[in-house]
Amino acid sequence: MEFAIFDIETRIDKQLLNRVFFAHDNISDDEAYLRFREDLRNRGGDFFPLTLHVPISIAIGNVSEDYTLRGVETLGAACESEEGLVREFWTRLEDFRGCLVSFNGRRFDLPVLELAALRWGISAPRYFDEGDSPRSHRSLERHLDLCEYLTNFGEVGLRGGMDLLLKMMGLPGKLAINGAMVQEYFDSGQHEELHRYCRTDVVQTYFLFLRVALMRGRLDQTSYQTAWSAALPFLAELGAQHAESGVVG
């Protein structure tokens, strides 16, 4: 079975936010965004509802049956529109017969992409209408959400998230950008930096995936080390300082 490690970056649909939550206030979309964000923070949070998220970049790591990372594509850099980006993802997913791998993909990435399919009227019957789908909670063979797996399917907390796990393994973790900065980078037109950030997350998620595969007995130490070493150039390409060895010791 082949694997596809994926990650998305999103912007907030300020126009929709304004139209729904501030319809009678006669304010700009940016002001509506700032008001809504302030209200969230006053309530002890800062995460906007999934319904307001629009995908702007999707990165996919292509991993072979022997767990070798063959390449990483950034769809957002090639697609001319946000609708085209989402359509490209769903076209690929409908044809994919392997296992999706994500970090928190079941709670964020896939729900956002599902809402985008609803927004633009995209048909994906294999995903939405079949039991053997990455949408199903019943099989890790179609979608392995590493966050879900490492929290024992929500039974335990994971303060520090993926950044902590990566640093615990000797990897760089989050670099110059983090998820809270994506909207700012998008608004200032730094789209290439966002595509690079998305790609970086996929590359590092791959190394976490390898470690979990070792834990699960899907790889022995030799094959694990071989795959880890072969993927180090992907980190070097991103300019990240990285652990030279994946040996567990």
Side-chain angles (χ1 to χ4, degrees):
M1 176 180 291
E2 296 186 339
F3 305 91
I5 300 174
F6 78 104
D7 183 60
I8 72 172
E9 304 305 330
T10 64
R11 69 171 178 87
I12 299 303
D13 189 337
K14 296 179 181 180
Q15 184 181 53
L16 178 62
L17 185 156
N18 195 4
R19 183 153 46 95
V20 173
F21 296 99
F22 301 95
H24 305 295
D25 290 13
N26 194 28
I27 60 176
S28 70
D29 294 341
D30 284 333
E31 186 176 353
Y33 170 80
L34 293 174
R35 280 196 193 180
F36 198 92
R37 186 180 67 181
E38 184 65 21
D39 183 60
L40 287 173
R41 290 176 175 175
N42 289 338
R43 296 169 183 267
D46 60 1
F47 193 79
F48 284 75
L50 292 184
T51 45
L52 295 173
H53 285 259
V54 177
I56 54 176
S57 185
I58 303 175
I60 302 174
N62 301 305
V63 180
S64 61
E65 293 182 359
D66 64 356
Y67 289 76
T68 299
L69 181 60
R70 296 182 299 192
V72 182
E73 298 179 80
T74 308
L75 302 187
C79 296
E80 296 182 357
S81 68
E82 291 170 350
E83 178 182 352
L85 168 66
V86 174
R87 287 190 180 277
E88 177 66 17
F89 173 83
W90 284 112
T91 297
R92 291 182 181 221
L93 185 55
E94 282 290 281
D95 292 335
F96 184 60
R97 298 297 186 270
C99 177
L100 285 181
V101 179
S102 69
F103 191 90
N104 202 36
R106 198 178 297 283
R107 293 176 59 88
F108 178 71
D109 304 71
L110 284 178
V112 167
L113 289 162
E114 291 175 8
L115 289 168
L118 180 68
R119 174 190 290 251
W120 284 299
I122 297 172
S123 177
R126 286 195 65 252
Y127 177 85
F128 286 107
D129 201 39
E130 292 188 7
D132 182 26
S133 161
R135 201 169 194 246
S136 171
H137 287 73
R138 292 191 296 269
S139 176
L140 297 179
E141 303 306 317
R142 295 292 286 124
H143 179 199
L144 175 60
D145 183 333
L146 297 171
C147 179
E148 197 175 60
Y149 187 80
L150 292 170
T151 60
N152 200 5
F153 302 92
E155 292 298 319
V156 296
L158 190 60
R159 187 173 182 179
M162 188 170 75
D163 185 51
L164 183 150
L165 295 174
L166 294 170
K167 289 174 178 174
M168 182 175 71
M169 293 166 51
L171 290 161
K174 298 293 183 179
L175 302 176
I177 305 177
N178 59 52
M181 301 165 63
V182 169
Q183 185 70 43
E184 175 186 342
Y185 271 67
F186 177 82
D187 289 343
S188 62
Q190 300 182 72
H191 299 165
E192 289 304 316
E193 286 82 355
L194 292 178
H195 297 322
R196 181 174 178 271
Y197 169 60
C198 193
R199 179 183 173 91
T200 300
D201 268 4
V202 164
V203 170
Q204 294 202 79
T205 300
Y206 167 74
F207 286 98
L208 180 59
F209 169 59
L210 277 187
R211 188 65 61 91
V212 171
L214 178 66
M215 290 167 54
R216 298 175 71 199
R218 302 302 175 92
L219 292 172
D220 60 26
Q221 184 66 54
T222 299
S223 55
Y224 162 79
Q225 182 62 47
T226 298
W228 178 289
S229 298
L232 287 176
F234 285 95
L235 279 182
E237 175 190 336
L238 297 169
Q241 298 296 316
H242 54 71
E244 292 293 341
S245 173
V247 175
V248 180

